[in-house]
Amino acid sequence: MLGDFQVTRDGQPLDLPPSRKTRALLAYLAVTARQNQRERLCDIFWDIPDDPRGALRWSLSKIRQVLGADQKNLVADRNVVAVSLETDYARLAPLVKADLSSRSTQELEAVLASIRGGFLADLSLERCFEYESWRQAIASEVEIVELGILRELVERLTDEPRRALPLAQRLRRLVTHDASLAAEIEALEDRVRSAAAQGAGRAAQPASSAPPKPAGQDPGRAVQFCRARDGTRLAYASTGSGPAIMRAAHWMSHLTFDWDSPIWRHWMRELSRHNRLVRYDERCNGLSQRHVVDISFETMLSDLECVVEATGLDRFTLLGLSQSCAVSIAYAIRHPEKVSGMILYGGYVKGWRARGDAGEIATREAAATLMRESWGKPNPMFRQAFCSMFIPGATHEHFAWMDDLMLRTVLPDDAWRLQSAFSVIDVSDLLEKVRVPTLVLHARDDNVAPVESGRTMAAGISGARFIELESQNHILLEGEPAFEEFIDHVRAFIAETAGG
């Protein structure tokens, strides 16, 4: 069923009737695997003027010839018809609504190997509307299962690039416009080449222990993957050299695309200039796993712990941006021995729902609804409103790039879910427990996180310094004085604390 229709006995293909409708009838009976009323089959496959009952009898006679002497697989009386045959679709069907992560790799690979093409790819019957609707509906299910299996296996086999690469390439043929998948394939190809070089006796280190690549090399090739405690795939990258900065993940990031984007590229360039910058894509974002159920605060904190462990960092400056400031605070309390200093920019102690302002909540909820409907679509009204909220100082170039940023970094439902999760963040009780040197910076006219949020954060952390930057932008832009001031303060703070 999964490809051009075939019937085999003992592994040998059988001759099938030349009539496409007869072959389609046999396929339908085998897939439905139940007793079908003759009248119902006539309605599905034949028009009234065609003597449907006679046509059905003729087709059944041809099906008997296919089945040969062994007729136990065919039941046909005056009222019902049924065929019982083993089909490749029957092995795939249980996976349509299954949790693929609970299935064995062997089972998933076996089902994947059985998919030779679209469901009954050569048995479309355009004039049989009901049959064709049935066929296309199952074809869609098969395609979704194939995509799901490929994605699951690529993630599961991350540490076996030779096995993962052909699966990722097959997935790319089905999802041709996924830029994050293209970058993942490129990273797998690098690891396969590295392993081949090792086998040939040339000097190379395993990908899992390879040193960070210096600034100036293609940062897209520095992407590596690790697993969160719940099995979620997390993508991380390292650029530059010097005292380490760990940037806690925030939403709307993409490890490779960010280097091209005028919204983020200057951040990575300047933070990597004199330091080793380690970044990772938040779950549901960028090259990390999408469609993840658990996006709780505790899980985001756990993800940061897992990335730190994967990179092998012993001590570093922790950089929090926007909602990741709260995660950074919780991490610094839990692991003060690893954090030489903490820099928090544009953060908030309480999310917009937790702040309890009725007007803000109503505005944000309306924006969230619009986000779910218009995210990633070429809607100039939504794009302008969304971009203006985060970057009031945006140019036409930034507006154009914001479309790609939304489309490439996070899916619409995930964007909506993440915003809802961020809204209830509240680290009020944690501030007084911070014992690491802390620098808090905030744009004076930030529309996303009011400057009072930054002041409250700094006031609650013992010994924290607060710097107010002259800007309206939640994401500071290249060339604006506030960004240059931000970088200067960051470098001075690291120089002061990194050796402690």
Side-chain angles (χ1 to χ4, degrees):
M1 308 294 174
L2 307 179
D4 290 347
F5 182 57
Q6 294 181 3
V7 181
T8 63
R9 180 183 290 118
D10 299 327
Q12 298 300 315
L14 303 180
D15 292 332
L16 298 178
S19 166
R20 176 181 292 185
K21 191 169 290 188
T22 299
R23 299 198 306 274
L25 173 64
L26 174 56
Y28 180 84
L29 292 169
V31 171
T32 56
R34 65 171 184 267
Q35 291 188 346
N36 290 271
Q37 296 291 324
R38 282 180 177 258
E39 293 296 333
R40 182 75 181 118
L41 293 173
C42 290
D43 290 342
I44 293 172
F45 287 96
W46 288 280
D47 297 328
I48 294 297
D50 291 338
D51 183 17
R53 294 187 68 87
L56 176 60
R57 286 194 299 271
W58 182 87
S59 287
L60 290 175
S61 70
K62 299 301 180 184
I63 291 174
R64 286 190 178 94
Q65 293 176 19
V66 172
L67 298 178
D70 186 3
Q71 296 290 307
K72 67 180 181 181
N73 294 323
L74 173 65
V75 174
D77 59 26
R78 295 182 60 183
N79 297 313
V80 298
V81 179
V83 166
S84 176
L85 295 174
E86 183 181 351
T87 70
D88 50 7
Y89 174 72
R91 293 193 295 272
L92 177 144
L95 301 183
V96 171
K97 296 182 179 180
D99 177 7
L100 297 180
S101 65
S102 66
R103 303 299 176 119
S104 71
T105 299
Q106 183 179 11
E107 178 187 2
L108 296 180
E109 288 181 324
V111 172
L112 193 62
S114 71
I115 303 176
R116 298 171 289 107
F119 178 75
L120 299 178
D122 63 336
L123 285 183
S124 62
L125 300 176
E126 293 182 1
R127 293 185 58 188
C128 299
F129 175 77
E130 192 167 347
Y131 162 82
E132 189 61 18
S133 297
W134 169 83
R135 187 189 70 83
Q136 291 183 5
I138 296 183
S140 296
E141 287 183 348
V142 170
E143 183 178 2
I144 290 171
V145 170
E146 182 180 8
L147 289 169
I149 291 175
L150 286 168
R151 184 71 271 177
E152 175 65 26
L153 288 177
V154 169
E155 293 166 359
R156 191 178 293 185
L157 299 173
T158 297
D159 295 332
E160 301 180 56
R162 284 186 181 277
R163 293 177 66 187
L165 180 57
L167 298 172
Q169 290 168 333
R170 177 172 172 177
L171 181 60
R172 181 69 190 282
R173 289 193 290 271
L174 297 174
V175 188
T176 57
H177 300 298
D178 189 333
S180 64
L181 180 59
E184 187 172 350
I185 289 172
E186 190 174 23
L188 285 170
E189 289 173 341
D190 273 0
R191 294 174 64 191
V192 169
R193 283 193 289 268
S194 176
Q198 281 184 294
R202 292 188 292 272
Q205 293 184 336
S208 60
S209 61
K213 298 193 177 186
Q217 293 190 17
D218 179 2
R221 297 180 183 272
V223 176
Q224 295 179 274
F225 299 90
C226 66
R227 291 283 179 177
R229 293 195 173 93
D230 64 357
T232 297
R233 176 177 57 92
L234 301 173
Y236 66 94
S238 176
T239 50
S241 60
I245 300 173
M246 167 61 73
R247 191 186 78 175
H250 54 78
W251 78 311
M252 287 178 61
S253 76
H254 190 297
L255 292 177
T256 56
F257 179 71
D258 284 350
W259 282 96
D260 298 322
S261 166
I263 295 173
W264 285 117
R265 65 190 175 199
H266 52 293
W267 286 75
M268 276 81 72
R269 185 186 66 239
E270 294 305 319
L271 291 172
S272 300
R273 190 178 297 278
H274 302 294
N275 298 90
R276 176 189 175 189
L277 174 65
V278 180
R279 304 174 295 129
Y280 64 102
D281 284 333
E282 188 172 73
R283 55 178 56 210
C284 296
N285 287 263
L287 297 178
S288 289
Q289 188 171 334
R290 310 287 182 96
H291 302 298
V292 180
V293 175
D294 189 354
I295 54 173
S296 64
F297 181 85
E298 182 60 34
T299 298
M300 296 296 188
L301 173 58
S302 175
D303 287 352
L304 174 54
E305 292 174 325
C306 290
V307 174
V308 170
E309 183 178 349
T311 58
L313 290 177
D314 292 323
R315 195 160 173 79
F316 51 86
T317 298
L318 181 57
L319 173 62
L321 304 176
S322 194
Q323 101 275 350
S324 72
C325 289
V327 173
S328 299
I329 289 169
Y331 182 92
I333 293 170
R334 188 176 293 185
H335 302 282
E337 76 286 353
K338 287 188 171 292
V339 181
S340 59
M342 181 166 59
I343 301 171
L344 306 174
Y345 168 75
Y348 43 85
V349 177
K350 294 182 178 182
W352 54 266
R353 196 181 299 278
R355 288 195 286 268
D357 184 302
E360 182 183 16
I361 290 173
T363 301
R364 291 278 198 155
E365 286 180 341
T369 300
L370 187 60
M371 176 186 296
R372 196 169 195 174
E373 297 300 321
S374 302
W375 186 269
K377 297 178 181 178
N379 182 334
M381 180 181 71
F382 174 76
R383 178 188 65 198
Q384 184 163 357
F386 185 82
C387 187
S388 295
M389 181 173 68
F390 280 83
I391 318 173
T395 65
H396 290 296
E397 181 188 18
H398 294 117
F399 280 120
W401 277 89
M402 183 61 77
D403 279 344
D404 275 346
L405 189 67
M406 290 190 291
L407 183 64
R408 290 172 183 255
T409 56
V410 61
L411 299 172
D413 281 347
D414 285 339
W416 180 82
R417 291 171 58 232
L418 287 166
Q419 281 299 291
S420 295
F422 302 157
S423 73
V424 296
I425 285 176
D426 187 348
V427 292
S428 303
D429 296 339
L430 299 183
L431 299 180
E432 63 181 15
K433 299 177 183 179
V434 175
R435 294 292 181 267
V436 303
T438 303
L439 174 66
V440 181
L441 304 102
H442 214 103
R444 178 173 301 159
D445 297 310
D446 190 334
N447 290 322
V448 175
V451 69
E452 290 76 14
S453 297
R455 292 196 187 101
T456 300
M457 187 175 291
I461 298 175
S462 177
R465 280 179 277 169
F466 179 72
I467 304 294
E468 190 172 297
L469 303 173
E470 187 63 47
S471 178
Q472 297 178 300
N473 298 319
H474 186 64
I475 305 174
L476 298 174
L477 297 178
E478 184 174 17
E480 68 170 313
F483 178 71
E484 302 302 326
E485 185 180 355
F486 169 83
I487 292 297
D488 288 342
H489 284 295
V490 166
R491 289 175 180 159
F493 180 77
I494 293 175
E496 177 184 341
T497 60

